[in-house]
Amino acid sequence: MELQSGQNAPVGTGALRLALTCDPPNQAASLDVSAFLLDAAGRVAGDGGFVFYGSPSDPAGAVRLDPVAASFQIEPGRLPGGIERVVVALSIDQGVAGLHAFAQFRALRLTLTGQGVDLQFPVATGGMAESALIMGELYLRNGAWKLRALGQGFAGGLAPLARNYGVDVSEAAAPPAPPPAARPPAAAPPTAAAAPSRINLKKREPISLEKPAKGFGQIDVNLNWTRGQVKRGFFGGSGGGIDLDLGCMVEQASGDKDVIQALGKRFGRLDAAPFAKLLGDDRTGESDSGETLLINGDRWGDLKRVLIYAYIYEGAPNWAAANAVVTLKAPGSPELVVALDEHATGKGMCAIALLENDGGRIRVTKLVEYFAGHQQVDEAYRFGFQWKAGSK
């Protein structure tokens, strides 16, 4: 199974092999691999929580590094109590082969095998100026271990990355440095979180958002687009604009269903069923904020699924000219981006994304499928509404 950034997959508690490879292979000697054993606060639990070439195993032997093969033998079931995450990272030894940024590699890959699992995570490195990279993490959730693919760059190299997790980096722990005269100025450690802050979804490759301890909070779904070129008439009139509207179909856990959209003035409610509300109606696409739909994430347990869609209320059904993008933001989770990067001429409605309740998680799937209208979308996703003509 191949993962993309932000995706996760379950793994066993027995012996696993996690390997890190690069293209071209002959540049592997310039890479250092390391692992951080973290508690619930995201900090290493003592000196043994940092596994690297100078300390290739934790005290329990649950994480063992083979620095030559750039691989780990990991047994999650043997990790000491209190350890909830194992972060696996790559860093460039800038004293080897003159390399200083991951953009100098064509590609990187994380592979995890064992316990009937075969997971692959390829990372494209184009334009990546960082010299440290968080490839992924094993994490404990509801008593089960999972692998999350990350691919998050970290400026400054191994030492700042280690300090970010609470490691007291000594001179011996740092990679060999070049002579002072040739040493580049150190970059300031970033303050951003290790997890990716923004994920561009791929069609039919779902992402799951884990439920935080305090709940999801308010989930913002935003639609933004551009009108394209507006033609002017003899008397200063305008034409050619596109009125693109955001909406959703909601199915609750009880089986009740509802539609939220400006058409028919069905704006919904946030504090009561259907726990979704549309804010405003941008008739031109010129608003900086576009259109926003709110979902009450604290009541996510009352919802079964939410189908996000957009339709062209006025103007020619030219989705390529609209250049529409939907973003989904939940507190404490990466921002998910759904670009309407596929188009269908003559169809005025687009099913954009499906949010499903997956054991308390939010499973988000990019759809970007085009239909003639609401009835056809309903039939495709089996909501069962009775449709009639409406107006704003």
Side-chain angles (χ1 to χ4, degrees), residues 43-121:
R43 312 290 284 180
V44 293
D47 294 338
F50 180 30
V51 178
F52 68 115
Y53 61 86
S55 179
S57 176
D58 73 299
V63 180
R64 302 183 300 278
L65 169 66
D66 181 344
V68 176
S71 66
F72 291 95
Q73 293 294 325
I74 302 177
E75 296 181 63
R78 294 181 58 188
L79 287 165
I83 300 299
E84 297 189 3
R85 293 166 57 202
V86 178
V87 172
V88 177
L90 282 172
S91 56
I92 296 175
D93 182 350
Q94 299 189 16
V96 176
L99 298 174
H100 60 273
F102 281 106
Q104 294 172 275
F105 293 84
R106 284 194 290 267
L108 301 166
R109 181 177 291 269
L110 180 153
T111 302
L112 187 140
T113 54
Q115 303 292 299
V117 171
D118 186 354
L119 301 175
Q120 307 282 331
F121 173 44

Side-chain angles (χ1 to χ4, degrees), residues 358-374:
D358 179 19
R361 296 177 291 272
I362 302 178
R363 180 183 172 92
V364 184
T365 305
K366 176 179 177 179
L367 304 175
V368 189
E369 296 181 342
Y370 294 90
F371 299 87
H374 291 73

Side-chain angles (χ1 to χ4, degrees), residues 169-377:
V169 181
S170 65
E171 184 176 351
R183 189 169 186 169
T191 57
S197 60
R198 186 178 176 92
I199 299 174
N200 293 306
L201 296 190
K202 296 181 180 179
K203 193 168 182 177
R204 298 294 182 181
E205 295 186 13
I207 291 286
S208 290
L209 301 181
E210 300 286 349
K211 183 179 180 180
K214 296 182 179 180
F216 285 109
Q218 180 175 288
I219 303 167
D220 293 8
V221 181
N222 177 259
L223 168 69
N224 226 319
W225 75 98
T226 56
R227 273 195 307 179
Q229 184 176 2
V230 178
K231 298 179 181 179
R232 297 286 174 181
F234 287 110
F235 301 101
S238 62
I242 297 175
D243 179 13
L244 194 61
D245 284 0
L246 177 67
C248 70
M249 300 179 192
V250 178
E251 182 177 0
Q252 300 176 47
S254 64
D256 293 338
K257 300 171 185 177
D258 210 334
V259 176
I260 310 300
Q261 61 180 27
L263 188 63
K265 298 180 173 59
R266 303 183 62 92
F267 290 95
R269 295 186 60 181
L270 201 59
D271 57 349
F275 307 111
K277 182 177 181 179
L278 181 66
L279 302 181
D281 177 23
D282 178 13
R283 299 297 297 272
T284 65
E286 292 181 332
S287 168
D288 290 338
S289 58
E291 292 193 2
T292 298
L293 174 74
L294 304 180
I295 300 172
N296 187 343
D298 291 331
R299 301 299 297 268
W300 182 246
D302 294 307
L303 301 178
K304 181 179 180 180
R305 57 177 178 152
V306 179
L307 176 67
I308 306 297
Y309 61 80
Y311 56 96
I312 297 177
Y313 181 70
E314 290 179 349
N318 186 344
W319 293 94
N323 193 30
V325 175
V326 166
T327 56
L328 187 148
K329 301 178 184 178
S333 299
E335 176 180 306
L336 304 183
V337 180
V338 182
L340 276 64
D341 47 10
E342 295 182 11
H343 310 112
T345 303
K347 295 184 178 181
M349 192 160 182
C350 180
I352 297 173
L354 183 63
L355 283 58
E356 299 172 281
N357 191 325
D358 179 19
R361 296 177 291 272
I362 302 178
R363 180 183 172 92
V364 184
T365 305
K366 176 179 177 179
L367 304 175
V368 189
E369 296 181 342
Y370 294 90
F371 299 87
H374 291 73
Q375 183 70 49
Q376 290 72 26
V377 174

